[in-house]
Amino acid sequence: MRVYNFSAGPAMLPLDALNVAQSELTDWKNSGMSVLEVSHRGKDFVACAAETESLLREVVGIPQNYKVLFLQGGATGQFDAIPLNLTAAGDKVNFFNTGQWSVKAIKAAKAQGLEVDVIVDRAESKYTDTPAADSFVVDPEAAYLHYTPNETIGGVEFGYVPETGQVPLVADFSSTILSRPLDVSPYSMIYAGAQKNMGPSGLCVAIVREDLLGKARPGTPTIWNYTAMAEADSMLNTPPTFGIYLLGLILKWVKDAGGLEAMGERNRAKAEALYGYIDASDYYSNPVALDSRSWMNVPFLQANSELDKAFVAEANSAGLTNLAGHRSVGGMRASIYNAMPLEGVTALIDFMTDFERRNG
Ligand SMILES: *Cc1c(COP(=O)(O)O)cnc(C)c1O
């Protein structure tokens, strides 16, 4: 039996893609082996990785002057790798701090000896909003501006792309990539851990504009050197083969469902249903500013927070799993990534209504 899994990550994946993976698992392409067991340098796997890349390019619309890299070490690895690849020690960089993933990226940049200027800091709102598009000034000397378009923990998402002039824009898209149409061209680099909307953990996808390559600091670990990785087609060492394969199946699912336009429509409908219900309720609430609400991660509180454990446990028994809020925020959080159908959101709303009727 499948449940509606509201986990923030690793998260629910599309059943169609999992079913294909299951059907092929023990005998992939008539090889008598699973994809987990074949050489990453064999022609079948090389073709599989090339197909995943070309599907990603097609589905997202990645311009030709960007490299696609399949990396390991998660998005967290990139918090260190970005400074190593794009800056010299002592360089200035600008950051937005809109939540806990921003905080971690900032900490890593400081540890790499950068002069970090946090030009937007939403700690003062307890990370419940994004800055107005005209409320910040990017330092023209900065090596880049880094921000987190969707803060997975706070459930805060930007409704616009920050304007940075000539300063490269770098973004951690871990929890929003593939959720709606994406114009890559304003970005110098986009990266995302796969385990939210793209597949299993262990794979991190980076999309890097070519003119940023060739600047890695001496001593950068080779597996995190974008230039070395690009030259080796991400196969400098053994890549996360299963993750690359499964990402390909998920991209096919996205494409067959109508691509990112269709994903965006589905996700908008899901988010509108859930926020609409919460806003109309006297018992449940969401703390995030209206223009900054995430389509992917919806934190919510109930009037009687002493019942949070009961809510999560009873929801779990009803087949609605992983609804506990992040330990730093409390309450509940429903992550409604691409694979969550509208029926899952409707089932959650029905459960919330029933829970309030019994306890409110
Ligand atoms: C999950 C997440 C990360 C961390 O990803 P790892 O793969 O665990 O390193 C970083 N940033 C954001 C926005 C995330 O949602």
Side-chain angles (χ1 to χ4, degrees):
M1 189 200 89
R2 295 278 292 174
V3 297
Y4 292 123
N5 174 11
F6 293 90
S7 171
M12 191 168 173
L13 295 173
L15 183 59
D16 291 348
L18 294 179
N19 279 336
V20 174
Q22 182 186 44
S23 72
E24 301 182 333
L25 189 62
T26 54
D27 184 7
W28 183 58
K29 293 183 182 283
N30 296 319
S31 64
M33 295 176 278
S34 77
V35 68
L36 292 154
E37 299 164 298
V38 301
S39 166
H40 59 293
R41 308 220 182 263
K43 78 171 177 2
D44 283 344
F45 190 78
V46 169
C48 169
E51 192 188 355
T52 298
E53 177 178 337
S54 88
L55 275 165
L56 185 69
R57 285 184 177 280
E58 178 187 345
V59 165
V60 176
I62 301 173
Q64 277 311 315
N65 60 327
Y66 287 75
K67 294 284 189 205
V68 171
L69 304 178
F70 297 128
L71 305 169
Q72 299 184 65
T76 304
Q78 298 313 306
F79 295 166
D80 293 312
I82 291 163
L84 292 173
N85 279 276
L86 306 189
T87 68
D91 277 0
K92 272 190 221 167
V93 288
N94 284 182
F95 273 77
F96 285 177
N97 177 15
T98 53
Q100 300 195 35
W101 290 112
S102 297
V103 168
K104 290 189 180 173
I106 289 166
K107 198 171 161 207
K110 286 183 177 161
Q112 295 294 350
L114 294 175
E115 190 184 324
V116 177
D117 193 1
V118 179
I119 61 170
V120 159
D121 193 341
R122 300 313 302 153
E124 61 192 61
S125 76
K126 296 204 168 71
Y127 302 131
T128 56
D129 56 18
T130 51
D134 59 359
S135 67
F136 53 88
V137 179
V138 180
D139 182 347
E141 310 265 277
Y144 56 78
L145 169 70
H146 179 283
Y147 83 117
T148 310
N150 185 68
E151 288 279 359
T152 320
I153 293 172
V156 166
E157 186 159 16
F158 280 76
Y160 65 93
V161 181
E163 175 56 57
T164 62
Q166 292 304 306
V167 174
L169 181 60
V170 176
D172 174 1
F173 264 86
S174 293
S175 51
T176 182
I177 194 158
L178 305 184
S179 71
R180 58 171 101 183
L182 166 63
D183 178 7
V184 173
S185 66
Y187 295 93
S188 289
M189 174 170 172
I190 286 170
Y191 65 103
Q195 69 271 23
K196 279 57 184 256
N197 238 352
M198 289 196 297
S201 60
L203 168 66
C204 179
V205 173
I207 302 167
V208 188
R209 213 176 58 210
E210 279 167 359
D211 60 277
L212 267 71
L213 299 177
K215 297 176 186 165
R217 296 187 202 178
T220 299
T222 322
I223 56 159
W224 281 342
N225 182 316
Y226 301 152
T227 312
M229 267 297 182
E231 280 167 2
D233 287 332
S234 301
M235 296 214 197
L236 198 111
N237 66 327
T238 314
T241 51
F242 190 72
I244 292 169
Y245 158 79
L246 201 57
L247 171 57
L249 296 184
I250 288 165
L251 287 164
K252 269 183 215 145
W253 173 80
V254 170
K255 187 178 159 182
D256 291 347
L260 296 191
E261 291 285 347
M263 288 297 126
E265 279 160 32
R266 280 169 51 120
N267 290 326
R268 177 199 295 279
K270 281 150 50 185
E272 277 176 0
L274 189 49
Y275 287 114
Y277 172 76
I278 292 170
D279 288 345
S281 156
D282 294 328
Y283 186 71
Y284 299 104
S285 61
N286 169 283
V288 179
L290 290 181
D291 66 353
S292 307
R293 286 175 163 183
S294 169
W295 285 7
M296 296 284 97
N297 311 98
V298 184
F300 61 93
L301 304 170
Q302 58 181 329
N304 182 357
S305 63
E306 282 175 10
L307 294 177
D308 286 355
K309 276 210 168 79
F311 181 102
V312 171
E314 288 178 30
N316 192 61
S317 304
L320 309 168
T321 68
N322 291 306
L323 279 162
H326 189 270
R327 57 189 180 280
S328 65
V329 178
M332 277 67 65
R333 172 177 48 170
S335 293
I336 50 175
Y337 298 115
N338 283 353
M340 176 64 65
L342 182 60
E343 293 72 34
V345 173
T346 308
L348 173 59
I349 291 170
D350 290 347
F351 174 83
M352 290 167 77
T353 306
D354 185 53
F355 189 86
E356 180 188 351
R357 192 177 45 73
R358 288 183 287 111
N359 300 285

